[in-house]
């Protein structure tokens, strides 16, 4: 099966998956206790029955559940995620405004975790049983066991409050009005702490997976043949061992790439990063159902997209997969 046909097949499955996720999220959210109309009426200082009834009619909450669901699914099919009455803006606009910041954070963290994880895993496997291997393995275990929110708070405390090396909060310096290259540098400075905090956890996973896979492949017969031919250890590791050991790492990276979006909720909240993770946190506190549903759906779409990209990369790394398909 060609890559193009495989992509079309995955896209069709992705559309059905997103539809199922949209329906499931809508059902679960509406099954949760609480009434947005009551919350809004209470904040307005007029929580009487007439005011609540007017709000329910305005938001369409007085209609039967199946009608609300049908309208929501129909809107999603037209890329209409509804209207946020808490922020007085279409949900798609709110997400489009916040999505670039989340993509910048998650993609940077993903690259950091994957590159460092593979590099340190190769280094540890090349020095197995030595002090360097023990040190790298211990650090990986430490990063993996550390709660993400605690690591984020400690990063702010040490590098921003105590040392003053990096900004601890926000996307860029408020009121600085930087433009051009100066603005890019300012955003990068604000990106370092949240990206490293989010990336180090996954880096530990990729490092341990790379090390274990390298050690397993190093005992294969074709590696022994390469050694018998007189090839250097560096060439064997790069051309023979790493090329085959990288396959399970690619699979794991694709599966966990979507988890970066979930981890970004905590990271964005701690670092006041204006992404969709923080938007979802704020919407949950405000019972902004339409925005919550929109963020859930976009997050699910990102996870599915990461998985499709992983399949493509997997076929490029190992062409035998495409031949078997």
């Amino acid at each position: 099966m060609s890559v193009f046909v495989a992509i079309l097949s995955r896209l069709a499955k992705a559309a059905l998956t997103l539809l199922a996720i949209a329906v499931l999220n809508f059902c679960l959210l509406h099954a949760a206790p609480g009434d947005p109309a009551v919350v809004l009426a209470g904040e307005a200082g007029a929580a009487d029955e007439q005011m609540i009834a007017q709000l329910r009619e305005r938001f369409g909450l007085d209609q039967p559940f199946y009608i609300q669901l049908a309208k929501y699914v129909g809107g999603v099919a037209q890329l209409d995620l509804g209207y946020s009455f808490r922020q007085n803006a279409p949900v798609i606009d709110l997400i489009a405004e916040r999505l670039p910041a989340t993509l910048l954070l998650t993609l940077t963290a993903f690259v950091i975790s994957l590159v460092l994880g593979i590099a340190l895993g190769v280094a540890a496997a090349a020095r197995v049983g030595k002090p360097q291997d023990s040190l790298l393995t211990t650090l990986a275990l430490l990063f993996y066991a550390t709660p993400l929110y605690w690591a984020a708070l400690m990063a702010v405390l040490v590098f921003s409050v105590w040392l003053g090396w990096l900004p601890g909060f926000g996307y860029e310096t408020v009121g600085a009005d930087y433009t051009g290259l100066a603005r890019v540098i300012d955003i990068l400075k604000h990106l370092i702490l949240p990206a490293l905090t989010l990336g180090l956890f996954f880096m530990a996973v990729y490092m341990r997976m790379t090390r274990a896979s390298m050690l397993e492949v190093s005992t294969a017969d074709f590696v022994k043949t390469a050694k018998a031919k007189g090839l250097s250890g560096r060439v064997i590791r790069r051309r023979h061992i790493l090329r085959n050991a990288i396959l399970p790492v690619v699979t794991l990276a694709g599966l966990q790439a979507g988890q970066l979006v979930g981890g970004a909720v905590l990271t964005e909240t701690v670092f006041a990063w204006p992404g969709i993770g923080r938007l979802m946190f704020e919407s949950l506190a405000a019972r902004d159902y339409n925005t919550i549903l929109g963020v859930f759906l976009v997050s699910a779409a990102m996870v599915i997209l990461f998985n499709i990209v992983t399949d493509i990369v997997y076929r490029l790394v190992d062409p035998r997969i495409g031949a078997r398909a």
Side-chain angles (χ1 to χ4, degrees):
M1 184 186 296
S2 66
V3 176
F4 180 72
V5 175
I7 293 175
L8 290 180
S9 175
R10 289 303 305 270
L11 289 177
K13 295 176 182 177
L16 294 176
T17 303
L18 280 178
L19 177 61
I21 290 173
V23 173
L24 180 61
N25 285 339
F26 188 89
C27 295
L28 290 176
L29 199 58
H30 277 255
D35 189 340
V38 174
V39 176
L40 288 175
E43 292 179 352
D48 57 87
E49 292 297 330
Q50 183 179 1
M51 180 66 174
I52 294 175
Q54 291 176 353
L55 288 173
R56 288 180 61 84
E57 181 180 0
R58 179 186 176 189
F59 300 156
L61 298 175
D62 59 334
Q63 297 177 345
F65 173 78
Y66 67 90
I67 294 180
Q68 297 183 45
L69 177 59
K71 288 185 176 180
Y72 174 71
V73 173
V76 169
Q78 302 175 37
L79 298 181
D80 179 9
L81 301 181
Y83 192 85
S84 172
F85 295 97
R86 300 304 299 261
Q87 304 194 44
N88 293 319
V91 173
I92 192 68
D93 291 344
L94 294 174
I95 294 177
E97 181 182 355
R98 302 285 193 104
L99 186 58
T102 294
L103 290 177
L104 177 62
L105 173 60
T106 54
L107 291 178
T108 303
F110 181 71
V111 171
I112 290 174
S113 62
L114 194 59
V115 172
L116 287 181
I118 293 176
L120 294 178
V122 171
R127 297 165 178 80
V128 61
K130 297 181 179 180
Q132 298 94 321
D133 177 35
S134 300
L135 176 62
L136 292 175
T137 304
T138 302
L139 287 177
L141 183 61
L142 177 65
F143 290 141
Y144 181 77
T146 303
L148 189 59
Y149 66 89
W150 187 86
L153 291 173
M154 290 302 100
V156 172
L157 182 63
V158 173
F159 296 103
S160 181
V161 178
W162 290 353
L163 300 176
W165 290 354
L166 297 167
F169 305 102
Y171 182 75
E172 55 186 322
T173 304
V174 178
D177 296 328
Y178 292 126
T179 58
L181 182 60
R183 183 168 183 261
V184 172
I185 295 175
D186 184 50
I187 293 175
L188 290 178
K189 288 181 179 179
H190 285 79
L191 177 65
I192 292 175
L193 285 183
L196 283 177
T197 302
L198 185 58
L200 285 179
F201 171 83
F202 294 95
M203 181 273 292
V205 178
Y206 301 146
M207 181 205 140
R208 292 174 63 87
M209 173 63 77
T210 302
R211 177 184 179 276
S213 186
M214 289 275 291
L215 294 178
E216 181 180 358
V217 174
S218 64
T219 61
D221 291 337
F222 65 87
V223 176
K224 297 177 181 178
T225 302
K227 292 179 179 179
K229 291 180 177 180
L231 296 178
S232 65
R234 180 175 300 180
V235 172
I236 293 174
R237 284 194 298 270
R238 186 178 70 252
R239 293 185 180 179
H240 299 277
I241 299 179
L242 180 59
R243 185 173 181 179
N244 290 274
I246 203 71
L247 296 177
V249 180
V250 171
T251 303
L252 181 65
L255 294 174
Q256 292 194 327
Q259 296 182 17
L260 285 168
V261 180
V265 176
L266 290 174
T267 308
E268 290 178 3
T269 302
V270 173
F271 290 100
W273 189 263
I276 62 173
R278 188 180 176 200
L279 176 64
M280 181 169 65
F281 179 80
E282 296 169 351
S283 301
L284 283 170
R287 293 185 181 277
D288 190 352
Y289 285 169
N290 286 340
T291 304
I292 296 172
L293 287 171
V295 173
F296 281 169
L297 190 64
V298 171
S299 300
M302 291 173 62
V303 172
I304 293 173
L305 179 61
F306 278 130
N307 287 334
I308 293 176
V309 172
T310 302
D311 284 348
I312 297 173
V313 173
Y314 211 98
R315 289 168 181 269
L316 295 176
V317 173
D318 187 0
R320 295 172 298 175
I321 296 175
R324 288 195 297 265

